[in-house]
Amino acid sequence: MKDKGMLSNMYTSCSDIPLSRFIKVYCGNLDALVISGFVPYIDKVRIANRMIEEYCSFIGNRNLSLELSKRNDLLNYSIKITVLEAARYMLSLGYYKNAFDLVTSVKIKVAFPKCEKDVKRIFDLIGSEMAVLKVRVKQLKDSLERGIKEKNKRDKSADENYFAEERMLVSKHMGYYIDAERITAKDYAFCVKNMLNELKLVSNGKRI
């Protein structure tokens, strides 16, 4: 009974702790477990270890979320570059309708060319867009390479900035803002897990 009363003064599982507090616990601030009163250090350590193990069991490898998202972006950018290269080739051959369809298929808004000036404008626009995409591709490749080299180090030293970056990615994927003060660690973990599963399907060439 004494233990039960003590535990009522602290968060004890991913189901009840807000994500904002869980992140602090994960990063080493065990006082974030405490709701009120005094809790012995040994009990905080015991609950924190159990809670982090529970969280990791929900989502698996945490670094995988960022890696898969970056690989998915890399694939999308590479496809877009290929489409734009084809569009530019079609323009050079005079197949304006084909080129227009290709450009608009990758969400670039252009008016259908009516004269040579319009064709040149679209040609230049394609070149500019491809240059930007190639820079992004290089940045993603460099980031992924650094991630591979630092994987073990990152596993051991996750910080609040990492969680913030991950939460932005998850929010973007889910289509709504995830408030770390309102969502529990468990619910957030399942959001991450769902994102990972969907990104795996995309990486395997399957539609969601």
Side-chain angles (χ1 to χ4, degrees):
M1 294 298 294
K2 182 180 179 181
D3 185 59
K4 183 177 180 180
M6 180 278 297
L7 292 180
S8 67
N9 294 324
M10 66 186 298
Y11 296 105
T12 59
S13 76
C14 290
S15 299
D16 55 34
I17 189 169
L19 177 63
S20 58
R21 287 204 177 216
F22 173 79
I23 291 172
K24 294 182 184 297
V25 174
Y26 194 101
C27 297
N29 181 4
L30 302 188
D31 288 335
L33 287 169
V34 181
I35 298 173
S36 64
F38 170 77
V39 178
Y41 177 75
I42 188 63
D43 290 309
K44 289 187 286 189
V45 170
R46 177 170 58 84
I47 296 299
N49 287 340
R50 189 176 71 191
M51 190 179 291
I52 291 172
E53 182 179 352
E54 178 187 20
Y55 180 83
C56 290
S57 72
F58 290 145
I59 66 170
N61 188 342
R62 297 189 62 256
N63 291 326
L64 192 58
S65 61
L66 284 176
E67 181 182 341
L68 282 173
S69 182
K70 289 177 181 178
R71 289 189 182 279
N72 190 48
D73 285 343
L74 181 60
L75 176 63
N76 289 334
Y77 291 151
S78 298
I79 291 173
K80 195 171 183 179
I81 289 172
T82 301
V83 171
L84 291 176
E85 286 176 341
R88 190 161 61 171
Y89 181 66
M90 289 294 180
L91 278 178
S92 67
L93 295 178
Y95 296 124
Y96 301 149
K97 176 65 166 61
N98 301 83
F100 178 78
D101 290 343
L102 286 171
V103 171
T104 54
S105 73
V106 291
K107 311 300 182 185
I108 297 178
K109 295 181 179 181
V110 293
F112 189 83
K114 297 179 180 179
C115 60
E116 287 299 320
K117 186 177 180 180
D118 290 342
V119 172
K120 184 179 185 305
R121 178 175 54 80
I122 295 175
F123 196 90
D124 291 342
L125 177 63
I126 291 174
S128 297
E129 184 70 17
M130 287 176 59
V132 171
L133 290 171
K134 286 178 179 179
V135 169
R136 290 177 180 173
V137 165
K138 184 178 185 306
Q139 289 173 338
L140 282 171
K141 286 182 176 178
D142 290 344
S143 178
L144 286 168
E145 288 177 3
R146 288 196 302 271
I148 291 173
K149 293 178 182 178
E150 299 175 2
K151 183 176 184 300
N152 291 333
K153 181 180 178 181
R154 288 170 63 189
D155 283 342
K156 296 178 181 178
S157 59
D159 59 16
E160 293 189 35
N161 289 331
Y162 181 89
F163 273 100
E165 182 182 358
E166 181 185 69
R167 184 159 57 92
M168 284 191 294
L169 288 172
V170 178
S171 294
K172 179 182 176 182
H173 184 83
M174 299 298 291
Y176 57 83
Y177 174 71
I178 294 177
D179 189 338
E181 298 293 335
R182 295 178 178 275
I183 193 170
T184 65
K186 180 178 180 179
D187 288 342
Y188 176 73
F190 281 114
C191 286
V192 174
K193 188 66 175 178
N194 288 337
M195 183 184 79
L196 290 175
N197 289 337
E198 290 178 7
L199 289 175
K200 283 179 183 178
L201 290 176
V202 172
S203 298
N204 292 331
K206 299 178 181 179
R207 291 184 179 274
I208 298 173

